[in-house]
Amino acid sequence: MASAATKSVGFLGQLSNSMKRFVFRMSGYNQYGLFHDDCLYENDDVKEALRRLPQNLKDDRHYRMHRAIHLSMTKTVLPKDEWFSYEEDHTKGRYLQPYLQEVITERKEREEWNKK
């Protein structure tokens, strides 16, 4: 059964999906046990979204970050069976997005309100 992250329609959809998988593999953050949202640049919106994360998600994120730093310092990567797959990254690896979208929406509303 195909997940929403891997569904594609037609040739262009398959090409786009193949390109996304290629970029995912080349980025390499999964080899260190990191998700997509672990690698986001921490601007004000991301910092606020991180502040709103439940404690268990914060703890999981900190564990992944510390493990990745240790692996980087020892110049090693995780065994291949511990790497996150493309599908896992799209289902579990976007854990910050709902909070981030909420923060961005609130900021835009605040900016609109301040214009008036």
Side-chain angles (χ1 to χ4, degrees):
M1 180 172 196
S3 68
T6 59
K7 280 189 179 174
S8 60
V9 179
F11 175 73
L12 290 178
Q14 290 175 352
L15 182 63
S16 173
N17 193 27
S18 297
M19 189 60 113
K20 288 177 185 177
R21 286 178 176 278
F22 175 75
V23 170
F24 172 77
R25 284 193 306 271
M26 297 287 49
S27 67
Y29 60 82
N30 65 321
Q31 297 175 12
Y32 291 98
L34 295 174
F35 284 131
H36 172 269
D37 285 357
D38 294 334
C39 302
L40 292 177
Y41 176 74
E42 291 190 18
N43 60 18
D44 292 335
D45 292 338
V46 173
K47 287 178 185 175
E48 177 60 24
L50 287 170
R51 191 186 66 72
R52 295 181 185 189
L53 268 180
Q55 190 62 42
N56 64 330
L57 291 177
K58 284 183 189 177
D59 292 342
D60 292 346
R61 181 177 193 271
H62 288 175
Y63 173 76
R64 288 190 303 272
M65 300 290 269
H66 284 280
R67 180 174 59 177
I69 290 169
H70 174 73
L71 289 168
S72 177
M73 288 173 37
T74 58
K75 297 185 185 332
T76 59
V77 294
L78 290 172
K80 193 163 183 134
D81 61 332
E82 293 184 35
W83 294 2
F84 290 121
S85 69
Y86 179 75
E87 289 78 14
E88 283 179 305
D89 190 61
H90 273 75
T91 56
K92 299 182 204 172
R94 308 294 200 247
Y95 62 90
L96 193 60
Q97 295 305 311
Y99 303 98
L100 187 58
Q101 291 303 320
E102 183 180 309
V103 168
I104 291 170
T105 303
E106 289 174 5
R107 179 179 47 82
K108 287 180 180 179
E109 285 177 5
R110 197 169 30 258
E111 289 171 356
E112 284 296 318
W113 185 259
N114 289 336
K115 283 183 184 178
K116 297 179 183 179

